[in-house]
């Protein structure tokens, strides 16, 4: 995996696939079976594009894989608008699609560059190891080095 974020996107995509398969088993005998089948095929495309693009070493291929997954998520969301909200599995699928959309959009926004954050304050141990540090005359310590740490 490229990052931990792509692992979360992949896990979420796999959960969407399992939820759509549960939904497909409930709608097999209705007139919505074709629409559910299309949603299921689009859902399979989400984790497969993430997994295929995370193998690549280039960030451009990874971005294209994320964009492909985002397109699949948006198309699923459009198709879910045609279904009624009677089924609790359908509500769960809509929630998962919304979360997946947010995760992918967040991953696309970061563009693969990680910035390291520096600590706001210097630790006590780092202060103790500084060679140019002047002694503290106002502290009376009989323990020696321990006074430098506190």
């Amino acid at each position: 995996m490229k990052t931990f974020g792509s692992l979360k996107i992949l896990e979420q995509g796999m959960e969407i696939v399992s939820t759509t398969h549960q939904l497909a088993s409930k709608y097999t005998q209705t007139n919505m079976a074709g629409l559910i089948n299309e949603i299921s095929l689009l859902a399979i495309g989400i984790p497969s594009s993430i997994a295929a693009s995370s193998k690549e070493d280039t960030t451009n291929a990874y971005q294209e894989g994320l964009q492909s997954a985002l397109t699949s998520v948006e198309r699923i969301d459009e198709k879910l608008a045609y279904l009624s909200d009677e089924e609790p599995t359908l509500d769960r699928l809509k929630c998962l699609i919304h979360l997946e959309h947010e995760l992918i959009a967040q991953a696309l926004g970061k563009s693969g560059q990680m910035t390291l954050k520096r600590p706001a304050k210097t630790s006590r141990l780092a202060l103790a190891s500084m060679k140019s540090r002047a002694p503290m005359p106002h502290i009376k310590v009989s323990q020696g080095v321990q006074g430098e740490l506190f």
Side-chain angles (χ1 to χ4, degrees):
M1 284 288 104
K2 203 78 154 161
T3 61
F4 181 69
S6 63
L7 180 64
K8 286 174 35 178
I9 294 170
L10 183 68
E11 288 176 348
Q12 186 83 16
M14 294 299 291
E15 192 162 341
I16 289 172
V17 171
S18 66
T19 306
T20 55
H21 285 304
Q22 291 173 1
L23 198 61
S25 67
K26 293 180 182 181
Y27 279 97
T28 54
Q29 301 298 327
T30 65
N31 57 354
M32 295 292 188
L35 183 63
I36 297 296
N37 190 24
E38 289 177 22
I39 291 172
S40 181
L41 291 174
L42 286 170
I44 290 170
I46 297 169
S48 65
S49 63
I50 297 295
S53 67
S54 65
K55 288 182 186 178
E56 302 291 328
D57 289 336
T58 62
T59 57
N60 191 24
Y62 181 64
Q63 295 291 329
E64 288 174 5
L66 286 176
Q67 190 61 44
S68 173
L70 185 63
T71 303
S72 295
V73 166
E74 289 170 349
R75 290 184 63 199
I76 290 172
D77 196 28
E78 291 172 2
K79 292 185 183 297
L80 285 176
Y82 295 115
L83 297 174
S84 62
D85 292 333
E86 302 168 358
E87 190 68 39
T89 309
L90 188 61
D91 291 336
R92 178 166 158 55
L93 180 62
K94 286 182 179 182
C95 180
L96 288 172
I97 290 294
H98 179 70
L99 290 173
E100 184 77 1
H101 188 276
E102 287 179 359
L103 284 174
I104 295 173
Q106 183 181 12
L108 281 172
K110 288 184 180 177
S111 72
Q113 297 178 358
M114 295 181 66
T115 57
L116 297 175
K117 295 181 181 176
R118 295 184 179 203
K121 295 182 179 179
T122 308
S123 69
R124 292 181 196 151
L125 293 175
L127 289 175
S129 66
M130 293 174 67
K131 294 180 180 178
S132 63
R133 184 174 167 163
M136 294 183 279
H138 61 281
I139 297 178
K140 297 178 183 176
V141 178
S142 62
Q143 296 292 326
V145 177
Q146 186 176 6
E148 291 290 321
L149 295 176
F150 299 102

